[in-house]
Amino acid sequence: MITLVKDTIGNEDIDRLVEWLKTYPRLTKGPITLDFERKYSEWLGRKYSVFVNSGSSANILMLSALQQGDYLKNDKVVVPSIAWATDLSPVIQLGLKPVLCDSNMEDLSVDLEHLERIFREESPSVLMFVSVLGLVPNMDKIVNLCDEYNVILLEDTCESMGCEYKGQKLGTFGRMSSFSTFFGHHISTIEGGFISTDDFELYELLLSIRSHGWDRDLSAETQYQLQQDWGVSKFDAMFKFYYSGFNMRSTDLQAYIGLAQIDKIDDWGKKREHNYNLYYSLIKNDYWKPKSYHNSLTSNFAYPIISPHRDKIVKELQKNKVEVRPMVCGSMGTQPFYVKKYGRLELPNVTEVDRHGFYVPNHPSLIEEEIEFICDIINKVIDNEENKDS
């Protein structure tokens, strides 16, 4: 079986973890988590990072911080129709109003014409932007549109860790950005995720909401100010909750695993890009290919394909023990949990992607012979089907 992903936690990582465990350290969130957050911020080039229990938690935490910090001008949040379920569901869970945007047919992120029309007509507060499968979007245009229409840009970079646009890492363009460290993602802490930002006030808000809404993780100055504002003694402050919080903490055990993973992100990203370029050169699919920008780094999560022969290609890949998946969540406007609440929404580009899109494996352990094998299967099906039509 050629699998979609491979665990990035190797035997040497497990051995190192075992030796650390023999020192009988603290396992819940503690000093190792802080070290992990600092090291990730340094790698990414942002001031602050908050380690949480998943990339999905990161998304709801970002929105909750904006909501509770009174950053929103209204309750409207734009969500791409090609996204993950937990880009859309937190909007609904927090009582906000989702506005779905169509995808473009170059890098599968938002369609810029549709996005600007939504900005102009709906005047939303937030764009929950997704860089799909590590494809690099035109971030200049995204940032400029958000600035022009006073929309807060949040980046879901869970599939795009290490990607760069014009030398700048994805996840450093928005007010906040989310990342995933789940099994099979660019790095793994078994389960986990990050929020990164340069905004200190948002950072402290995230820290509080991550842990019940209390002040224990905040700076001494902020703790003092909150306690003064609310007339709270030092003793009572232990169980005072200033925000409606969650428990989205991860653990020092997972942070310890992650510390060594950060050292490998860049090398793994180059390998993912090498695989991406090899797929691009070998697959003979005139129907559609993803677009890449000059001076970008595509640390591709999985290689996307759109073909009217999808079902036959998928069947042949599966027969040859190649793992394959539909294109992310397809169309969010046709997902049952959206349809039950708002009715079915069909958008032209994402409907095409939903009907004909799928993706095949890419990970740092994938070898060229495996990519060639996958491409041969895809090309044979396309050639056979096109010969039938001619």
Side-chain angles (χ1 to χ4, degrees), residues 91-206:
V91 179
I92 299 170
Q93 289 159 351
L94 293 172
L96 301 169
K97 179 183 177 182
V99 183
L100 294 182
C101 183
D102 202 2
S103 62
N104 71 65
M105 296 302 289
E106 294 182 342
D107 56 59
L108 303 181
S109 68
V110 290
D111 178 85
L112 293 171
E113 289 186 9
H114 189 212
L115 181 68
E116 184 165 16
R117 187 162 71 250
I118 290 171
F119 281 5
R120 189 170 54 248
E121 295 174 358
E122 301 283 351
S123 187
S125 289
V126 179
L127 168 61
M128 177 68 83
F129 182 76
V130 180
S131 40
V132 178
L133 296 177
L135 302 180
V136 179
N138 187 328
M139 296 307 300
D140 285 337
K141 291 185 178 179
I142 295 296
V143 170
N144 289 340
L145 279 174
C146 287
D147 288 345
E148 181 179 352
Y149 289 93
N150 188 30
V151 175
I152 296 170
L153 174 60
L154 301 180
E155 292 181 78
D156 177 343
T157 329
C158 290
E159 296 175 346
S160 310
M161 187 183 290
C163 291
E164 296 180 3
Y165 174 78
K166 295 184 177 180
Q168 181 177 343
K169 287 186 176 72
L170 298 190
T172 61
F173 290 87
R175 183 75 68 90
M176 292 180 281
S177 53
S178 63
F179 299 85
S180 172
T181 58
F182 175 61
F183 167 84
H185 281 233
H186 289 70
I187 64 172
S188 175
T189 58
I190 309 172
E191 293 272 3
F194 273 112
I195 301 170
S196 294
T197 185
D198 290 324
D199 187 316
F200 181 71
E201 290 185 5
L202 272 175
Y203 168 61
E204 292 214 298
L205 194 51
L206 292 166

Side-chain angles (χ1 to χ4, degrees), residues 14 34 71 181 194 257 291 293 296 349:
I14 300 297
L34 298 178
Y71 287 86
T181 58
F194 273 112
I257 295 170
K291 177 179 177 179
Y293 293 97
S296 66
N349 289 341

Side-chain angles (χ1 to χ4, degrees), residues 57 60-70 93-95 204-215 218 226 230 240-248:
S57 292
I60 193 169
L61 192 54
M62 288 194 298
L63 287 170
S64 181
L66 292 177
Q67 189 180 49
Q68 295 194 59
D70 293 328
Q93 289 159 351
L94 293 172
E204 292 214 298
L205 194 51
L206 292 166
L207 291 176
S208 178
I209 298 172
R210 176 185 65 176
S211 298
H212 310 292
W214 61 29
D215 68 6
L218 308 186
L226 284 170
W230 290 92
K240 277 293 180 289
F241 305 97
Y242 302 96
Y243 301 99
S244 175
F246 306 96
N247 182 3
M248 292 179 171

